[in-house]
Each structure stands twice: as C-alpha cells, then as structure tokens.
Amino acid sequence: MKLRFPTYWLGLGLLLPGCAYENAEELLPQPACDVSAVTYSQVIQPLLQQRCYPCHSTGRAQGNTVLDNLAAVQQHAGRGALLGVLTPGSGYPAMPQGGPALDECEVATIRAWVAAGSPDN
C-alpha cells in the first residue's frame, strides 16, 4: 500500500501539465479594435510598410503592384483590389503570399480607411 500512494501522486503529477490550456490568446482579453481615428500616415502606411513593402515596393514590385506611395495605394483601394487581396473568397489572390494573413483588426483598419475615401491624412 505504501508504494501505490506515492506512485499514484507521481502519475497524477506527470499528467497534469498535459492538461494545460495552450492557446493563451483565447484566455486573455483581447484589446478592442479601434478604427475611429485611422490615418494614412500614422496607421495605414506603417501597416503596409510592415506587411506589404517586402514584396510591393518600388524596388520589388511583384505582380507589378507598388504600395509604397499614397497615390498607388489609393488607386488599389479605389478599385477594390486592396481589400480584395485581404478578404478570403473575394476572387483576388490572398495576400500576403507565403506569409500569415493580416488579423481581423488590421483588415478592419484598412476597411475603415477605404470606407472614409482613402484620405491623405
């Protein structure tokens, strides 16, 4: 009997770490996505710089798409391509190609800027 009790606790101790919840994003409250003050210079351009410029800047215009100047971004936004490539099932190729998709807040931010008329602000 004395051997079974410590063995039981040892076995239980080895199993408990396997019960840990590994998706911390679902456990922690997520910050709200604030799209009320979206500006090109402070929000959109840095986002594009981080996520799009590696493939779509003047020196590396894959697919003949340049997104490193406001006029080009406004042109793509105006014809629906900017949001199209970020929206699954839209008929556009999904971007960024070979990288993780933009999260919901990033897409909502771009959507809000486009809905405001893609202003130079």
Side-chain angles (χ1 to χ4, degrees):
M1 282 277 211
K2 289 186 178 187
L3 290 179
R4 293 176 89 197
F5 185 75
T7 304
Y8 169 78
W9 286 107
L10 178 63
L12 185 61
L14 292 174
L15 289 176
L16 285 179
C19 297
Y21 196 77
E22 293 189 22
N23 196 351
E25 292 173 355
E26 291 181 18
L27 289 176
L28 301 173
Q30 298 298 310
C33 182
D34 182 11
V35 296
S36 62
V38 177
T39 64
Y40 177 76
S41 61
Q42 296 296 314
V43 179
I44 301 300
Q45 186 178 25
L47 177 61
L48 295 176
Q49 188 172 21
Q50 177 187 14
R51 302 300 300 273
C52 306
Y53 284 14
C55 298
H56 299 291
S57 60
T58 302
R60 300 175 288 252
Q62 291 185 5
N64 293 323
T65 302
V66 176
L67 297 174
D68 64 2
N69 66 76
L70 176 62
V73 176
Q74 287 172 323
Q75 181 183 14
H76 290 290
R79 65 175 212 257
L82 185 62
L83 283 172
V85 298
L86 302 176
T87 308
S90 64
Y92 289 90
M95 294 290 157
Q97 198 171 47
L102 276 69
D103 66 38
E104 290 177 26
C105 187
E106 291 169 325
V107 174
T109 300
I110 293 172
R111 183 173 282 119
W113 179 74
V114 170
S118 308
D120 179 8
N121 54 6

